[in-house]
Amino acid sequence: MPTRYIFITGGVVSSLGKGLSAASLASLLQGRGFSVRLRKLDPYLNVDPGTMNPNQHGEVFVTEDGAETDLDLGHYERFTNVNAKKSDNITAGRIYSTLLANERKGSYLGGTVQVIPHVTNLIKEFVTGDNNKEDFVLCEIGGTVGDIEGLPFFEAIRQVGYELGRDRVLYCHVTLVPYIAAAKELKTKPTQHSVKELRSIGIQPDMILLRADREIPANEKKKVALFCNVPEANVISALDASSIYKVPKNLHLEGFDERVLAHFKLKSKKELELKEWERIVTRFERPNGEVNVALVGKYMSVGDTYKSLTEALDHAGIENNVRVNVHWIDARVFESDDAEKKLAHVDAILVPGGFGEAGVRGKIAAVTYARENKIPYFGICYGMQVAVIEMVRNLLKVKDATSSEFGTPHTKDPRGQVVGLMTEWEKDGVKQKRTKDTDMGGTMRLGSFPCTIKSGSLAHKVYGETHITERHRHRYEINFAYEADLAKHGVVFSGRSPDGTLPEIVEIKGHPFFIAVQFHPEFKSRPFAAHPIFAGFVKAAKERAKAQDKEAGVA
Ligand code: GLN
């Protein structure tokens, strides 16, 4: 069947959960036997989110093929289990940089280069290109209708509808219906204005998803249908849910997927089964016990900064049938406080990825605490680098051990820096070279790389195999020169690149669960299949919590 395109736009405010709605719809369509692909079109001018501060923009999600993308691609992957690709996230910045490079090459043959048609054509090529003949391509447009930078994107998707015909394209507009406490009423006026804005640029939505914090009365939905020129059955309530895993079923019960198929005059290829989602919701909402995990990080301003990570912890909780309470600890507090007070009541400690020197002392203190008190520890990327620095400082007594990321002073030990700037590695058979002056954007060791695991190690136990691939995003790498001396203290480099040159996993023998990895396993965790290290980590936390309870005499 020819590919159908579903465009998801937003109105009134941002942060409406368009990404989750798109991911949920894709998962429902999959459940009905269709193949899907999800894409995100971001109108901002950064070439990609790789150089953006996660405090401002949320996590940077890394794909298998090494793209640094918007965090919504994480939702897409987790809900559909379809791995996203570089070509699934485009920004205005990338469009313009391609356009300007073409212009310099003379590709426009002397023509005047304009937003319409040149920018819009590139956007259309992106939307319809690099497809695998999926039944549905769902494209979410970032931001809200009316944003200046969004205009070329809306114009491009309008043209796609015109060119492919309305039976192959569906426009779904997601808006907010706010509750006005003083009037005790939900208000649909902002939705009406937002649809008016959309129609003024030539897009008549086929469906409207109303986000609200409470039940929307039927007469309000009727009003939206009438004023926005949309069939009543296509006005769908999308109410706040207590967990994201409820969203697919909730939207299904509202008739979302059914109405989408009706629009395309398609019949479901198979009966939709929601049992797996239901099982996850039950496990998530009614677990048998809880564990407390300290997340010692630096980017603390919004919950989205470590989105995949907190989701992976939830997946591991679902698998272990416990609630995972995350205690966000800003690593910088240890600079004035000691680790003990902050960490005394947690069952496990996780140091996630990060950049720059700020907070490093606190993260090192957290490693010392976990190592010495035998508390389960999981270090990710930066969390592995600080773990090795900590062990070289405290076990090998190289007090100035550090990373070249933190500038001077450098480790004076003849073995050199503990963590050094990586200048060469191989990706898909091609040698990659970097220097310290290389551009910051898109130049890290990015995407999926293989790793060989030592037999009999903790890593082997959790993965159940010795050959894995994981996604990377870092510029620095640990120096093997300290390996032999660390080994005397039970520290094992249990995972390395297949050619043996890059250390990927480190662990401590005799510690109940101490594992640190150079890659980002959180990107591959799924609600239906928790990542093995996360699952093992939460299991270890659970065992510790149980042991502590026993000690305290709690039945
Ligand atoms: N800043 C470190 C590096 O670039 C770690 C990066 C990360 O944690 N993702 O190597």
Side-chain angles (χ1 to χ4, degrees):
M1 97 177 199
T3 302
R4 266 69 170 181
Y5 293 87
I6 300 175
F7 294 107
I8 293 109
T9 58
V12 184
V13 291
S14 58
S15 305
L16 284 176
K18 285 189 305 248
L20 266 178
S21 308
S24 301
L25 176 60
S27 140
L28 292 170
L29 292 169
Q30 255 185 342
R32 288 174 172 278
F34 297 97
S35 59
V36 295
R37 169 169 217 107
L38 284 141
R39 293 199 151 143
K40 178 88 194 272
L41 283 67
D42 276 314
Y44 52 72
L45 288 168
N46 302 67
V47 172
D48 62 39
T51 50
M52 289 161 94
N53 184 337
N55 277 329
Q56 225 185 71
H57 188 73
E59 157 192 284
V60 174
F61 186 79
V62 180
T63 59
E64 284 289 296
D65 62 358
E68 298 174 283
T69 69
D70 186 83
L71 58 81
D72 274 323
L73 276 82
H75 291 307
Y76 302 166
E77 283 202 4
R78 288 187 283 273
F79 273 45
T80 63
N81 206 20
V82 174
N83 280 340
K85 298 209 300 187
K86 216 171 234 165
S87 56
D88 290 330
N89 188 195
I90 198 87
T91 66
R94 185 175 299 285
I95 296 279
Y96 279 100
S97 65
T98 310
L99 181 98
L100 295 177
N102 287 347
E103 189 273 340
R104 291 290 82 185
K105 269 192 243 149
S107 309
Y108 299 109
L109 305 172
T112 308
V113 183
Q114 294 180 298
V115 171
I116 303 171
H118 300 101
V119 171
T120 46
N121 281 352
L122 280 178
I123 298 173
K124 283 194 292 183
E125 272 168 37
F126 162 74
V127 166
T128 54
D130 196 28
N131 287 344
N132 255 337
K133 298 202 170 63
E134 284 87 0
D135 297 326
F136 290 101
V137 171
L138 291 87
C139 288
E140 175 194 347
I141 321 287
T144 44
V145 59
D147 297 345
I148 290 180
E149 64 263 50
L151 274 173
F153 288 85
F154 283 91
E155 170 59 13
I157 65 167
R158 182 196 68 74
Q159 292 183 12
V160 174
Y162 171 78
E163 286 165 359
L164 295 182
R166 299 309 314 281
D167 54 343
R168 278 186 60 197
V169 171
L170 180 149
Y171 299 103
C172 175
H173 194 53
V174 187
T175 69
L176 177 73
V177 179
Y179 180 74
I180 306 296
K184 293 197 178 56
E185 263 180 47
L186 281 165
K187 292 291 183 190
T188 61
K189 187 64 83 126
T191 298
Q192 296 172 37
H193 279 291
S194 163
V195 170
K196 198 166 143 202
E197 181 82 35
L198 200 57
R199 286 163 65 183
S200 75
I201 48 180
I203 297 175
Q204 165 64 51
D206 302 296
M207 298 190 91
I208 298 180
L209 222 61
L210 301 176
R211 295 278 293 108
D213 65 353
R214 64 202 65 211
E215 207 63 53
I216 304 170
N219 60 325
E220 294 302 321
K221 283 166 98 174
K222 236 188 203 130
K223 215 154 77 184
V224 171
L226 180 67
F227 295 138
C228 300
N229 206 22
V230 170
E232 215 179 305
N234 287 7
V235 180
I236 308 281
S237 304
L239 307 186
D240 293 353
S242 53
S243 104
I244 59 167
Y245 309 117
K246 280 187 170 165
V247 178
K249 186 173 174 186
N250 288 356
L251 290 175
H252 166 70
L253 292 176
E254 286 288 325
F256 193 22
D257 46 325
E258 195 190 307
R259 296 305 303 164
V260 166
L261 291 185
H263 170 91
F264 292 114
K265 301 189 179 59
L266 290 172
K267 283 214 165 46
S268 192
K269 289 189 186 172
K270 65 176 198 209
E271 201 167 329
L272 182 67
E273 267 285 358
L274 289 169
K275 278 212 184 71
E276 268 301 285
W277 283 113
E278 284 160 4
R279 185 184 68 82
I280 282 185
V281 169
T282 313
R283 288 283 282 241
F284 185 67
E285 300 217 317
R286 288 198 289 280
N288 186 9
E290 58 180 9
V291 296
N292 292 297
V293 174
L295 199 149
V296 183
K298 183 169 85 164
Y299 311 109
M300 296 287 164
S301 62
V302 283
D304 279 354
T305 50
Y306 299 106
K307 193 76 201 162
S308 296
L309 190 77
T310 50
E311 297 269 313
L313 285 168
D314 284 344
H315 305 159
I318 290 171
E319 182 150 322
N320 284 288
N321 209 6
V322 286
R323 169 167 300 120
V324 179
N325 301 321
V326 175
H327 301 264
W328 301 81
I329 301 180
D330 187 328
R332 283 163 287 207
V333 302
F334 296 139
E335 278 152 32
S336 52
D337 211 331
D338 59 31
E340 197 109 358
K341 278 189 224 139
K342 293 277 167 199
L343 300 171
H345 303 292
V346 301
D347 306 311
I349 297 169
L350 194 157
V351 175
F355 292 85
E357 192 171 10
V360 69
R361 268 174 51 202
K363 291 179 188 180
I364 289 177
V367 175
T368 312
Y369 188 76
R371 192 175 52 74
E372 290 179 346
N373 295 287
K374 299 220 179 308
I375 297 170
Y377 176 84
F378 185 6
I380 296 179
C381 206
Y382 195 99
M384 168 163 167
Q385 298 173 355
V386 293
V388 179
I389 293 173
E390 191 277 339
M391 294 188 286
V392 173
R393 279 190 192 177
N394 296 328
L395 295 174
L396 306 187
K397 310 286 177 231
V398 180
K399 288 294 170 197
D400 62 353
T402 187
S403 163
S404 53
E405 182 171 8
F406 311 147
T408 49
H410 283 191
T411 314
K412 287 187 209 72
D413 193 277
R415 289 164 288 189
Q417 288 291 88
V418 177
V419 184
L421 182 67
M422 188 174 26
T423 51
E424 264 184 31
W425 65 95
E426 218 175 271
K427 174 85 181 152
D428 303 327
V430 182
K431 252 242 164 22
Q432 308 279 316
K433 261 187 181 300
R434 304 284 189 267
T435 72
K436 69 178 189 355
D437 300 319
T438 306
D439 275 356
M440 294 298 263
T443 55
M444 282 186 253
R445 182 177 168 211
L446 285 168
S448 182
F449 287 83
C451 164
T452 310
I453 291 174
K454 203 179 177 123
S455 284
S457 61
L458 173 63
H460 185 194
K461 192 171 148 212
V462 296
Y463 276 100
E465 52 189 323
T466 51
H467 293 280
I468 56 154
T469 60
E470 290 284 3
R471 299 184 198 174
H472 289 247
R473 180 174 184 250
H474 54 106
R475 243 179 264 286
Y476 298 85
E477 198 75 56
I478 287 159
N479 176 357
F480 265 134
Y482 294 88
E483 186 185 12
D485 291 320
L486 284 171
K488 293 178 197 145
H489 297 267
V491 180
V492 182
F493 284 90
S494 57
R496 52 189 80 211
S497 57
D499 66 0
T501 57
L502 304 169
E504 308 282 36
I505 309 177
V506 66
E507 54 190 72
I508 306 178
K509 264 197 224 147
H511 187 287
F513 191 98
F514 189 107
I515 196 162
V517 297
Q518 189 56 77
F519 43 80
H520 287 272
E522 67 271 29
F523 296 135
K524 286 175 77 167
S525 187
R526 303 282 182 262
F528 302 114
H531 187 283
I533 305 184
F534 280 89
F537 176 62
V538 168
K539 183 162 172 256
K542 195 170 141 180
E543 277 155 15
R544 182 178 160 86
K546 236 189 232 155
Q548 297 282 99
D549 280 355
K550 223 183 216 167
E551 219 168 84
V554 182

